Amino acid sequence: MLLGELGVFASYAFAPLSLIVPLGAVSVIASAIIGIIFIKEKWKPKDFLRRYVLSFVGCGLAIVGTYLLVTFAPNSHEKMTGENITKHLVSWPFLLYMLVEIILFCWLLYFYKEKNANNIVVILLLVALLGSMTVVTVKAVAGMLVLSIQGHLQLDYPIFYVMCVCMVATAVYQATFLSQASQMYDSSLIASVGYILSTTIAITAGAIFYLDFIGEDVLHICMFALGCLIAFVGVFLITRNRKKAVPFEPYISMDAMPDEGAG
């Protein structure tokens, strides 16, 4: 897992954010296939159509969607220099986007904390909003590190450390909300809904911050959107057909049991 995450981190330095984020569908496909091969779940014949056929259809759709994503994804990719990142950070489209995101995040957080709105969409929207900032900052940090390794030092720019702090902070709070969601909802539901929401908002943030789709024609944008939609459906079919985990039942000691002889 550590090697995989390091690979994902490095990939942000070499490709547009709008291409890398949706490719998370590949991990869902891989986990479904590996799980069938190695876990070897027992299944009844009547469950075959409902669970396994739909899962294979989901894998097929996710593969088709991934192919369209790779084929029609933005090709432009600028160097992550301190000057470029600072320019994007203070651009009015991104500042407007940040204002809308902060207002939406505070509104959702208010309902979640004060109104006890524990709906999965509310929680995963909070995760997705934080995640969009995580991927934006990860790409900046990874790009600046790669340029520094190549001999173009970027670590003397204050924006590098600002991005590092934002990356760590948003990742930590994102994990906190995910942990809370996992205590209330099934992991397969979290995986499908979280992937769809996080991917959509992250692509939007990347398109605004890094201008990924500038210069792309309408056909490429539409086919890219279609690839995302097909991948979303595929991931949904894969995750919804997984077995639900057995609820955890805490151990109760004999000392904690009520005394039957008590009046």
Side-chain angles (χ1 to χ4, degrees):
M1 288 179 64
L2 177 60
L3 290 174
E5 291 304 319
L6 288 174
V8 172
F9 178 82
S11 67
Y12 280 99
F14 301 101
L17 188 150
S18 299
L19 169 60
I20 298 172
V21 171
L23 289 179
V26 176
S27 65
V28 180
I29 300 171
S31 65
I33 296 173
I34 292 173
I36 292 173
I37 294 173
F38 289 98
I39 296 177
K40 297 179 180 179
E41 295 176 331
K42 294 180 180 180
W43 52 274
K44 298 178 181 179
K46 65 179 182 179
D47 293 333
F48 180 80
L49 179 63
R50 181 178 62 85
R51 294 181 59 229
Y52 286 93
V53 172
L54 287 179
S55 293
F56 286 130
V57 170
C59 285
L61 289 174
I63 291 171
V64 172
T66 302
Y67 172 78
L68 292 176
L69 289 171
V70 173
T71 303
F72 295 99
N75 294 318
S76 59
H77 177 66
E78 65 179 350
K79 291 184 176 181
M80 293 292 97
T81 62
E83 293 90 345
N84 287 337
I85 294 172
T86 303
K87 179 184 67 176
H88 292 314
L89 188 64
V90 298
S91 63
W92 71 263
F94 182 71
L95 291 177
L96 180 61
Y97 171 81
M98 279 298 301
L99 177 62
V100 173
E101 179 166 306
I102 290 172
I103 292 174
L104 179 59
F105 182 85
C106 292
W107 182 65
L108 290 170
L109 189 62
Y110 169 77
F111 276 94
Y112 177 60
K113 293 292 187 180
E114 301 297 330
K115 302 296 184 178
N116 294 320
N118 293 330
N119 185 279
I120 188 171
V121 175
V122 173
I123 302 174
L124 293 183
L125 268 175
L126 290 169
V127 173
L129 291 172
L130 289 169
S132 67
M133 290 298 100
T134 302
V135 295
V136 166
T137 53
V138 164
K139 180 173 176 60
V141 171
M144 295 180 78
L145 283 175
V146 167
L147 283 178
S148 298
I149 293 172
Q150 292 174 346
H152 306 285
L153 186 63
Q154 302 295 316
L155 304 186
D156 53 349
Y157 287 94
I159 191 64
F160 173 79
Y161 302 98
V162 172
M163 288 293 184
C164 283
V165 171
C166 292
M167 177 182 69
V168 173
T170 54
V172 168
Y173 282 106
Q174 188 181 169
T176 300
F177 284 116
L178 273 175
S179 176
Q180 294 172 5
S182 67
Q183 296 174 15
M184 294 181 283
Y185 296 96
D186 184 70
S187 60
S188 61
L189 183 61
I190 294 173
S192 57
V193 177
Y195 172 77
I196 293 170
L197 293 176
S198 296
T199 301
T200 302
I201 296 179
I203 290 175
T204 303
I208 294 174
F209 189 89
Y210 293 109
L211 307 176
D212 286 344
F213 292 95
I214 293 296
E216 297 291 328
D217 57 56
V218 176
L219 175 62
H220 276 71
I221 295 175
C222 291
M223 292 302 293
F224 178 83
L226 178 62
C228 286
L229 181 60
I230 294 175
F232 290 165
V233 174
V235 169
F236 176 76
L237 290 178
I238 293 171
T239 54
R240 78 182 295 269
N241 287 286
R242 290 181 177 175
K243 279 186 176 181
K244 291 185 178 181
V246 178
F248 172 73
E249 296 182 1
Y251 170 76
I252 301 178
S253 66
M254 295 302 294
D255 294 336
M257 296 294 290
D259 186 359
E260 294 180 359

